[in-house]
Structure formats: structure tokens, C-alpha cells
Amino acid sequence: ERYSANYIEFHRLRTRKAGSERHIDLHLVVPGESHIDRVHDLCELIERDIEERFPRSQVLIHVEPSSRLAPGQPGSLRDGGKHE
């Protein structure tokens, strides 16, 4: 929910454990007009938050463009793409 204004939806969330590591992957649907740098920053923020919550995890996000608009400003991060 923290970044929900920056994407349309996510789906195909899958997790599995391999030894002591957790593997997490999902599909993130973003507005098709989103700038690639902003989408990359968004994915890094989401990955970082997941990895902080689940240490020893590997996160993979598959980005899918859509013609729909995100709930917030289309194609931009609330924080202007800046990392905290």
C-alpha cells in the first residue's frame, strides 16, 4: 500500500523457500507512459522494503505496462523518485 499510488496493480505473487533463502516474485502493472527510470526506482524501493521485512530473500519484479492510469499521479513516484 505504501507505493500503491505509483502502480495499477500487482499479481502472480509467488514465494518459495530454498534452504535458508526465500524467493519472492511478482508482476507489477504500471502505466504504460511511465518513465523507465521512475519504474526502476519504484521497483528498487519495493524490493528494499520486502528484503528488510524478510531478510535473506531474493526479490524479482516483472514489470508490465498498461494503458490504464495509476491511482496517483500517472508515471511519477510520490517522493519524486528519491530514495529515503
Side-chain angles (χ1 to χ4, degrees), residues 35-49:
H35 192 276
I36 189 70
D37 288 340
R38 299 244 185 232
V39 174
H40 181 264
D41 289 345
L42 173 61
C43 289
E44 283 189 347
L45 290 169
I46 293 170
E47 289 171 1
R48 184 195 67 205
D49 285 353

Side-chain angles (χ1 to χ4, degrees), residues 6-45:
N6 303 300
Y7 64 87
I8 297 167
E9 68 177 7
F10 69 91
H11 59 269
R12 296 202 58 187
L13 173 64
R14 300 183 304 173
T15 66
R16 68 179 172 86
K17 254 189 124 165
S20 63
E21 286 193 347
R22 181 183 314 264
H23 297 267
I24 302 167
D25 63 86
L26 61 100
H27 290 216
L28 187 69
V29 181
V30 299
E33 299 300 317
S34 298
H35 192 276
I36 189 70
D37 288 340
R38 299 244 185 232
V39 174
H40 181 264
D41 289 345
L42 173 61
C43 289
E44 283 189 347
L45 290 169

